[in-house]
Amino acid sequence: MSMLPENVHSELAQLLDALQSSDNSVRSQAEEHLQNNWVSSRPEMLLMGLVEQIQGSNDPMTRSFAAVIFRRMASKNRKLPNGESTETFLSLPQEQGFVIRQKLIEALGTEATNTVRNKIGDAVAEIARQYSDGKEQWPEVLGVLSTLSISPQVGQREIAYRIFSTTPGIIEKQHEDTVLSAFTRGFKDDDVPVRLAAMEAFASFFRSIPKRSQQKYYLLIPDVLNILPPIKESGESEELTRALISLIELAEVAPKMFKPTFRNLVAFSVSVIQDKELGDQARQNALELMATFADYAPAMCKKDSTYTNDMITQCLSLMTDIGVDDDDASEWIANEDLEPDESDLNHVAGEQCMDRLANKLGGQTILAPTFSWLPRMMNSDAWRDRHAALMAISAISEGCRDLMEGELNQVLELVVPALRDPHPRVRWAGCNALGQMSTDFAGTMQTKFHSVVVPAIIPVLDSPEARVQAHAAAALVNFCEEAEKDILEPYLDDLLTHLFQLLQSSHRFVQEQALSTIATIADSAEAAFSKYYDTLMPLLFTVLQTENTKELRLLRAKAMECATLIALAVGKARLGNDAMTLVQLLATIQQSITDADDPQAQYLMHCWGRMCRVLGQDFMPFLPSVMPPLIQLASAKADIQLLDDEDEIDQVQQEEGWELVPLKGKIIGIKTSTLDDKHMAIELLVVYAQVLEGSFAPYVAEVMEKIALPGLAFFFHDPVRVVSAKCVPQLLNSYKKHFGNPSNELQALWNVTIEKLLEVLSAEPAVDTLAEMYQCFYESVEAMGKNCLTAQHMETFIDSAHSALEDYKDRVAARAEERAEANQEEGEEESEDTLFAIEDDQTLLSDMNKAYHCIFKNHGVAFLPAWERLHATYEAFLKSPDPTQRQWGLCIMDDVLEFCGERSWQYQAAIVEPLVAGCRDQAPANRQAAAYGIGVAAHKGGPQWAQFFAPAIELLFQVTQFPNARGDDDVYATENACAAIAKILHFNASAIPNVQQVIVQWVETLPVVNDEEAAPYAYAYLAQLIEQQNPAVLSQAGKIFMLIAQALEAETLQGQMSARIVAAAKMLLASAALDLTQVLQQLPPETQQAVRAYFA
């Protein structure tokens, strides 16, 4: 029975017709009418009318469309009288909601047309989701779905599981036996679509339940897997694709659930990948399933006897599926789209899988089986085999870096001959491999193999095919950006001669790439590039002066980039008058840009930043024209759209620069390209503030108020928040340089800034970005200096720090619980996500420690009352089995000793024991922190600490005698211990019973040649001993001089300290009647030269 009058239904039916009209104006008017006359004023009547249309219309199209509109309108946000927002359906009076949902569920049970039933099912799922999210009940829905799941009609059984899959919350609270039997029944259904819907529902349900509840459902996996073979046998690729997607989702959540059946699953997946009768998507999904196990359960994959060999074989096989019907590559050569979308092609799937296998399983597992194939493939007559082998090397080099680095000679023996291959695609792949290896083995490739790599690539620049020429030039970018200038210098003539020739190419993409490569070479070669300046700069000016036609835009952009990088390389003096010519050209180009999609605009921003670095203060006259477009970009708001239906989602997915985010059953579209531009613009503001310092002050207030401070809370885009955090301290510094500190202007800016900084410390949700916010905070405090924080500021800061520490402890506990639940086996590694999470936490806590350090440094004992609220946490850290936590605890105790003077003694009960334990800690960083702490206690802690130093001296000597005390990991602990002993002997010698004996022993702990903070203390004391004519140094004057020479050569002593130690060394030589020239001859020639300069 209808609840609404006939005239309402008549109006609604007309509206539904108009909303489906092909006439845009009719449709637009209908949408406006829907919003103004129904959604805003009578939503309950609209939803009631729609559900009755679903129930009562004789036209399947109308019923289907009414269901679509119902779902969309029910999920729209609606403001309540109390100001809060909720979804429209939940905002209805309860009785009306009950009637509407009852009619909807009845319509689902009676609908006979499958496509319409599916749309009604989507509407039911939406209402169920709203109840589930709102922690409310819809008791009837489960009963109806259970009845439908055992209906004799296939479509009804299928829709029940489809609804379960979109809203798993409605079943997770049921008795597990009921759930198990419902899924088992679905998996064994006579009809494949029902079995697939049950699989999808199970995957969705399984992902929604807590880990501790998952194990009881492991026993369903054999039934799930039994669904696949019959589908494969029938050759139904689309159905197989769906089934494999569900398995991938399950493997991501609980890969070990498949352990008992893993061998069979590997064999089945390989059989799918091999079956060329199946569609590519199904084959690629089988590959993806196997790669997912490598991602989430690498240990399980390594233990399987055939997994690695099978996977590598299948990847390499897929990688040969390239260039079909284009054996001579004529189509490929003619295609000037260098970045076609090939993500759905088999060879790309194979390459990406090889990359994942290498990164997840490591070289130890995959190198041998891969290289058992590659030499054979490189010697094959089939060009596709040779191409696949080279692309495999590109794919695995990052993941196998450690093992491959020692074998680069042999790898290059395989790759380099490919650059002379008769087939252009093989030469292209050879360049690709060398380029990738230049990045993955950066440093080693450049220093050890430049004489192999560069002469091999240069001739390829002369290839007859433009695409190969461009890729050879691109490979040089990878090589050159990691090369030191002295390595590049011998090749510059040959490289640039060939690249200048490419600038004459008839193919614009070759010219563009040549410019990028020249720019990279200029950036790396620095001043050595000056020789080529007169040849190249006029060419670039000519390009920049040509008419600004659409097809030349990218070429001009690359020419700008190249010219400004050359300017940066050769410097202001070499540029001469060209500097002004260049910036005037840039200004002219800026004025000529009118289209939003002109690539010159983005390049231009970076070019201005470079010219600012080149010209310094001389750049100031150009700021008025540079800043307005930059401010506009940096001020951009987020472009966000709520996407209501699949057509809108498809349309946005086809456009570049959008990210889709699911949120409460809806899809939000965020235009990331706008946000990337915003990020880049703020980055450039940082450059201007850094370089121009006080001269940038006229822009500071606007940038701080409208861009930097709002940017700290720009939650749509993490990089914008991060770069805003980098901007804030630079703006404060700019104001400080211009107005001075203290000044009213700087104080006014700080008053606004500090409030916002403290606010974001408690609001930032992402751990890695929160670390950046703490860095922003301490750099800002450092810029403002002494006593810039009030007591209330410090209390608010500690509120945030306390909250962050509690969250950190929760994450540590959750990881421990997860580890226990996952029942990790011996030797099993943490997942990559877990390792990243641990690293993010360590960065955060480290930056928090730097913030405490900065506050203590600038506020001393005034920070103690607020800091004491964290004391218990850091005391617990000092006793932790985690060495990093112990380090954080030691560092903060060091700050109390260093900046609180005699007040530090009141914490001695919490400090002494950790310093003692720290000196014996197996972690070198903790020995360093403990040694440093003892040193600052001697220097700044006051007389109460004197009783501690006699036993402490022994501990410090033990630090210097650790095994491998001078090794890379341990040397800083050793040198800090040396400096700490020197501080005790200088400031607290009366506390040491046997001073002369200690001095003799201390000399043996020198030199200090790494730690620039420790060296001045150690060598100041050594100079004091020389000035006092102490026998411990006079008796071994030659040796002492060598210890001084080592520190001078290492440059750990600067300014007055180096002058003082040189004077002391001269005194030492005179006292011991030693000749400087003779003593120096004991040193290597380069050391002699460095040291002699100090004594000239």
Side-chain angles (χ1 to χ4, degrees), residues 865-919:
W867 172 74
E868 279 182 354
R869 289 165 53 197
L870 302 183
H871 192 54
T873 294
Y874 281 89
E875 271 199 290
F877 282 177
L878 286 162
K879 298 181 176 77
S880 166
D882 179 349
T884 313
Q885 288 187 359
R886 298 199 298 277
Q887 183 187 354
W888 296 328
L890 282 164
C891 287
I892 202 165
M893 296 307 172
D894 289 354
D895 289 333
V896 173
L897 286 163
E898 186 166 3
F899 300 114
C900 299
E902 295 187 13
R903 283 279 296 279
S904 63
W905 181 251
Q906 74 188 65
Y907 302 99
Q908 57 89 19
I911 292 175
V912 170
E913 193 181 322
L915 290 181
V916 171
C919 286

Side-chain angles (χ1 to χ4, degrees), residues 202-203 206-207 214-222 224-225 246-247 249-262 265 293 297 300:
F202 177 63
F206 191 85
R207 291 201 319 274
Q214 288 174 351
Q215 204 143 0
K216 59 178 80 87
Y217 297 100
Y218 282 18
L219 56 89
L220 292 176
I221 286 301
V224 171
L225 295 179
S246 295
L247 285 186
E249 290 171 353
L250 290 168
E252 285 172 350
V253 179
K256 288 188 186 162
M257 169 165 71
F258 294 89
K259 198 172 180 181
T261 54
F262 189 57
L265 185 54
F293 284 108
M300 189 164 91

Side-chain angles (χ1 to χ4, degrees), residues 753-771:
T753 303
I754 184 58
E755 295 303 326
K756 187 66 179 178
L757 290 182
L758 292 169
E759 183 188 314
V760 297
L761 289 182
S762 59
E764 174 55 56
V767 175
D768 54 343
T769 311
L770 182 57

Side-chain angles (χ1 to χ4, degrees), residues 712-737:
L712 295 175
F714 193 81
F715 294 113
F716 302 107
H717 200 54
D718 293 358
V720 166
R721 300 206 300 287
V722 170
V723 77
S724 299
K726 300 265 186 272
C727 194
V728 168
Q730 296 301 335
L731 296 173
L732 291 169
N733 267 318
S734 179
Y735 244 38
K736 184 168 79 170
K737 287 276 170 71

Side-chain angles (χ1 to χ4, degrees), residues 346-500:
N346 285 340
H347 73 94
V348 175
E351 287 164 28
Q352 290 173 346
C353 187
M354 285 291 280
D355 175 50
R356 285 161 71 183
L357 292 174
N359 277 298
K360 299 299 181 178
L361 305 185
Q364 204 78 45
T365 302
I366 77 149
L367 261 190
T370 304
F371 274 86
S372 71
W373 280 104
L374 297 190
R376 281 179 281 168
M377 293 175 76
M378 285 305 301
N379 289 320
S380 166
D381 291 337
W383 71 263
R384 291 178 180 84
D385 290 349
R386 303 196 298 277
H387 183 279
L390 292 163
M391 296 307 288
I393 289 170
S394 300
I396 68 170
S397 61
E398 182 192 6
C400 300
R401 184 188 295 119
D402 294 344
L403 279 181
M404 275 177 78
E405 197 148 21
E407 308 293 333
L408 277 183
N409 213 10
Q410 290 91 312
V411 179
L412 287 169
E413 283 173 10
L414 276 181
V415 174
V416 168
L419 272 63
R420 302 187 294 274
D421 197 278
H423 200 282
R425 296 199 72 166
V426 177
R427 273 180 276 127
W428 185 96
C431 292
N432 197 76
L434 286 183
Q436 190 63 51
M437 289 165 69
S438 296
T439 300
D440 293 335
F441 306 108
T444 308
M445 280 282 280
Q446 285 76 4
T447 52
K448 292 187 178 175
F449 298 104
H450 59 87
S451 60
V452 176
V453 175
V454 180
I457 296 178
I458 288 174
V460 190
L461 297 169
D462 296 331
S463 286
E465 306 86 9
R467 289 190 71 168
V468 179
Q469 289 178 333
H471 211 52
L476 284 169
V477 169
N478 293 45
F479 183 88
C480 294
E481 66 189 357
E482 302 291 349
E484 297 294 330
K485 57 179 183 246
D486 55 332
I487 283 172
L488 282 184
E489 213 163 330
Y491 302 106
L492 288 179
D493 281 353
D494 208 3
L495 280 170
L496 291 164
T497 302
H498 282 80
L499 289 165
F500 288 169

Side-chain angles (χ1 to χ4, degrees), residues 103-117:
K103 284 176 173 286
L104 187 65
I105 204 86
E106 285 168 9
L108 180 72
T110 56
E111 179 58 58
T113 307
N114 274 350
T115 53
V116 180
R117 189 191 297 111

Side-chain angles (χ1 to χ4, degrees), residues 149-150 161 175-188 217 219-220:
S149 74
I150 53 174
Y161 288 108
H175 194 277
E176 65 195 56
D177 288 347
T178 312
V179 178
L180 281 164
S181 62
F183 281 127
T184 303
R185 197 166 55 245
F187 298 151
K188 293 179 177 176
Y217 297 100
L219 56 89
L220 292 176

Side-chain angles (χ1 to χ4, degrees), residues 804-1056:
L805 287 166
E806 292 306 307
D807 290 345
Y808 161 73
K809 291 178 201 171
D810 290 345
R811 290 192 297 274
V812 170
R815 284 196 290 267
E817 188 181 331
E818 204 171 287
R819 215 173 278 127
E821 282 177 3
N823 194 17
Q824 278 192 331
E825 296 167 21
E826 188 111 9
E828 197 164 330
E829 297 162 9
E830 298 274 19
S831 75
E832 196 170 70
D833 287 347
T834 302
L835 293 174
F836 280 138
I838 292 168
E839 189 179 333
D840 285 345
D841 274 336
Q842 290 182 344
T843 304
L844 170 61
L845 273 284
S846 174
D847 280 321
M848 289 174 72
N849 259 40
K850 288 173 188 169
Y852 309 143
H853 171 85
C854 188
I855 301 175
F856 270 127
K857 177 183 168 187
N858 287 291
H859 300 78
V861 295
F863 184 41
L864 283 173
W867 172 74
E868 279 182 354
R869 289 165 53 197
L870 302 183
H871 192 54
T873 294
Y874 281 89
E875 271 199 290
F877 282 177
L878 286 162
K879 298 181 176 77
S880 166
D882 179 349
T884 313
Q885 288 187 359
R886 298 199 298 277
Q887 183 187 354
W888 296 328
L890 282 164
C891 287
I892 202 165
M893 296 307 172
D894 289 354
D895 289 333
V896 173
L897 286 163
E898 186 166 3
F899 300 114
C900 299
E902 295 187 13
R903 283 279 296 279
S904 63
W905 181 251
Q906 74 188 65
Y907 302 99
Q908 57 89 19
I911 292 175
V912 170
E913 193 181 322
L915 290 181
V916 171
C919 286
R920 297 172 175 147
D921 202 304
Q922 289 303 306
N926 293 350
R927 297 200 298 278
Q928 178 186 344
Y932 181 82
I934 295 170
V936 290
H939 185 188
K940 299 182 175 178
Q944 302 99 313
W945 284 94
Q947 60 192 301
F948 171 57
F949 296 130
I953 286 262
E954 287 309 311
L955 288 168
L956 292 168
F957 278 124
Q958 286 172 26
V959 172
T960 69
Q961 291 152 10
F962 252 76
N964 200 27
R966 293 265 167 201
D968 289 347
D969 292 337
D970 301 75
V971 69
Y972 283 89
T974 302
E975 293 187 348
N976 271 270
C978 168
I981 297 167
K983 289 177 189 175
I984 292 172
L985 290 168
H986 179 73
F987 296 106
N988 282 273
S990 59
I992 308 302
N994 47 350
V995 172
Q996 190 59 29
Q997 189 181 333
V998 171
I999 291 171
V1000 171
Q1001 197 177 345
W1002 172 75
V1003 169
E1004 298 301 318
T1005 68
L1006 290 165
V1008 178
V1009 291
N1010 293 278
D1011 194 318
E1012 292 175 9
E1013 283 186 46
Y1017 291 104
Y1019 283 89
Y1021 186 63
L1022 184 62
Q1024 181 184 320
L1025 293 177
I1026 294 169
E1027 289 154 7
Q1028 293 169 350
Q1029 302 279 293
N1030 190 294
V1033 292
L1034 287 186
S1035 62
Q1036 45 184 348
K1039 177 181 175 179
I1040 299 297
F1041 182 84
M1042 291 302 174
L1043 295 172
I1044 293 170
Q1046 285 172 275
L1048 291 172
E1049 186 197 18
E1051 298 182 353
T1052 50
L1053 303 172
Q1054 301 290 329
Q1056 289 182 334

